[in-house]
Amino acid sequence: MKEFLTDVETLRKRARENMDKGSVTDAYGADLERVLYVLNQALATELVCVLRYKRHYYTAKGIDAQPAADEFLQHAGEEEGHANQIAARISQLGGEPDFNPETLLERSHSEYNSSTKLKKMIQEDLVAERVAIASYTEIIAWLGDGDPTTRRMLEEILAVEEEHAEDMLDLLGGLT
Ligand SMILES: [Fe+2]
Ligand SMILES: [Fe+2]
């Protein structure tokens, strides 16, 4: 059997040092400042996605496109869930989740869209999902084994974004 890396005495001693860091120990293998920065970008991305999907939900409802509106509302709820997960992880890592609306769009990878045409809404949502998929894939690869908890959370979110992209593609196909 592979021997344990650090002896128990040292592990216990280290755990008592820097107790104010909470869950972040010497074993944390990622660049914490950079992780917090990237997570705040992801938080902004999710929040912009919530706003865009909400806007599309209420606009599509107005033009009587109920099936699309239902998808938009469901996605808005799921993006909000992602934002909550990411904000909680930022706090757990000792950072500050940034909800400042003034800088939201600058920090977001995805874009807002206020189209009134259903097809354009769906296209823009598909693009935003593809942006999120590409950026989460990069972040996951960059994290490697340095922060398995953050990586696992992002992997779960990524899987949902892939479903979202599929949903938007299906909606788009149903239009033509
Ligand atoms: Fe999301
Ligand atoms: Fe999404």
Side-chain angles (χ1 to χ4, degrees):
M1 210 171 85
K2 192 167 175 263
E3 247 191 276
F4 202 64
L5 265 66
T6 309
D7 67 276
V8 177
E9 282 305 311
T10 308
L11 270 183
R12 287 179 181 167
K13 187 171 158 287
R14 282 188 192 155
R16 285 180 187 283
E17 292 162 3
N18 302 314
M19 275 169 58
D20 59 316
K21 291 212 171 79
S23 71
V24 180
T25 68
D26 284 349
Y28 189 81
D31 177 346
L32 183 59
E33 285 310 306
R34 187 87 187 137
V35 169
L36 291 171
Y37 176 78
V38 166
L39 284 179
N40 261 316
Q41 285 186 322
L43 174 60
T45 300
E46 295 292 349
L47 292 171
V48 168
C49 286
V50 172
L51 297 174
R52 194 191 57 256
Y53 273 124
K54 287 258 182 178
R55 157 76 195 200
H56 288 178
Y57 166 66
Y58 286 105
T59 312
K61 244 170 87 88
I63 57 176
D64 203 22
Q66 201 57 49
D70 291 344
E71 286 286 343
F72 295 155
L73 185 63
Q74 192 199 324
H75 287 199
E78 285 166 351
E79 311 301 15
E80 189 183 352
H82 296 163
N84 292 340
Q85 281 180 276
I86 293 166
R89 183 60 181 157
I90 291 170
S91 297
Q92 193 174 50
L93 288 171
E96 291 181 29
D98 192 346
F99 285 89
N100 187 348
E102 258 175 6
T103 55
L104 202 55
L105 269 178
E106 292 162 31
R107 290 180 288 117
S108 168
H109 296 142
S110 58
E111 294 172 279
Y112 182 71
N113 169 269
S114 53
S115 177
T116 52
K117 301 268 189 297
L118 186 64
K119 189 173 181 181
K120 181 70 177 159
M121 289 181 222
I122 300 168
Q123 283 171 335
E124 287 303 312
D125 290 329
L126 177 55
V127 168
E129 295 295 349
R130 287 169 55 78
V131 167
I133 289 165
S135 76
Y136 282 131
T137 303
E138 274 188 34
I139 297 167
I140 289 162
W142 169 70
L143 279 173
D145 294 328
D147 181 342
T149 305
T150 298
R151 194 193 62 212
R152 202 167 57 245
M153 175 188 76
L154 295 178
E155 284 171 348
E156 284 169 15
I157 293 175
L158 171 62
V160 177
E161 309 305 4
E162 288 173 346
E163 285 173 24
H164 287 174
E166 185 183 9
D167 291 341
M168 289 303 109
L169 192 62
D170 287 347
L171 277 181
L172 212 50
L175 283 184
T176 48

